Amino acid sequence: MRILAFETSCDETSAALVEASNRLRRPRFKILQNFVSSQIKIHRPFGGVVPNLAKREHLKNLPLIFNRFFRHQKINKGSIADLFAVTVGPGLEPALWTGIEFAKKAAKEFKRPLVGVNHLEGHLYSVLLSRDYERLSKKSVLFPAIALVVSGGHTILLLLKSLTQWKKIGETRDDAAGEAFDKVARLLRLTYPGGPEIEKAVRLLPKDWKDTIKFPRPMLNPQAGGKNYDFSFSGLKTAVLYYLRDLGYTEKKIKDRMEIANIAAAFQEAVVEVLVKKTICAAREFRTESVFLCGGVAANKKLREALKLETKKIRVNFLVPEFKFNTDNAAMVAAAAYIRQLAKKKPLKITAQSNLNL
Ligand code: KG4
Ligand code: ZN
């Protein structure tokens, strides 16, 4: 089945054409095209995504990206896809609507069905686009699995019995991990998006860098007061704010790049430690075969490496998509649409649902 998917939930305009095959036991995906147009430069001066600017950019980019499919010689306009898919939420409402309206028109023009996709299912199934999945699914049992979904708006731990049956065992009570990266980056007067900027700042530090600040590790101990897999990152952000205030850095700017790097690294250490320890604790408690890492924050090298190492220690499979599938893209939306079709899940309403969850 060929699926043409659109993604416009935040600040990336993306369209992808994906060939999906096989059953739910081992679905396979071949990405024929995956165009992503990022609006980072446009939102950067504002320190975050401005919904109406995102809408304007999506409106401008969608037809440009869509027309690029037809420049590709192998794609025949008449038989471009069997199914169209579009993200219906969660995300910024004006941004979601642009994708939905465009997808509706395109599906009508090509006389194909259109299905709605949950953006978070897209992140979850982005794991299926990875080379690790190709390799591991051939020789190992992957379920039950724990999935850590970490993006700008969500931090969720899922226990998956299969690809389509899961239970949410934890989520953030306040800020999402990506949001914490973005807010702390702003405190350090780094630009938007914060995650990659913090990572870049940290690169200045020597290999034998030691954390001398030790920011708090919020809700780290799941054993205390019963197992608890929820997260909370707003206190950590406040701890960074107080640290900066005590050094007199709320009015004056930190000039020393090494000092910025030191604070950024201490913050990153705290986030990574909490995410990794809780995920590993859940993998042990539920005796899972695998751990999946997905969402924009999965692009963080420190997090990928730490989770890879810890999963190796407890001998469970570790799956993380390649970098290009961590942040928002339409290929993952196509994958999620395919899984929804196979599982015969109740269709999602094709309207913008900004608060949709897993
Ligand atoms: O999944 P995503 O592209 O959009 C949402 O669905 O929210 O995630 C964006 C988030 C942003 O908060 C961004 O700062 C964070 O992912 N992010 C990172 C990195 N790259 C993106 N966080 C930490 N390290 C990174 N390398
Ligand atoms: Zn996302």
Side-chain angles (χ1 to χ4, degrees), residues 7 9-12 90 119-120 122-123 149-154 295-296 326-329 332:
E7 157 62 45
S9 67
C10 193
D11 58 347
E12 327 277 359
H119 181 80
L120 295 170
H123 278 304
V149 187
V150 265
S151 67
H154 297 82
N326 294 146
T327 44
D328 296 345
N329 65 87
M332 70 182 196

Side-chain angles (χ1 to χ4, degrees), residues 119 123 151-153 178-179 181-182 193-196 199 295-297 299-300 327-328:
H119 181 80
H123 278 304
S151 67
E179 193 178 353
F181 269 98
D182 294 337
E199 216 173 27
V297 183
N300 187 274
T327 44
D328 296 345

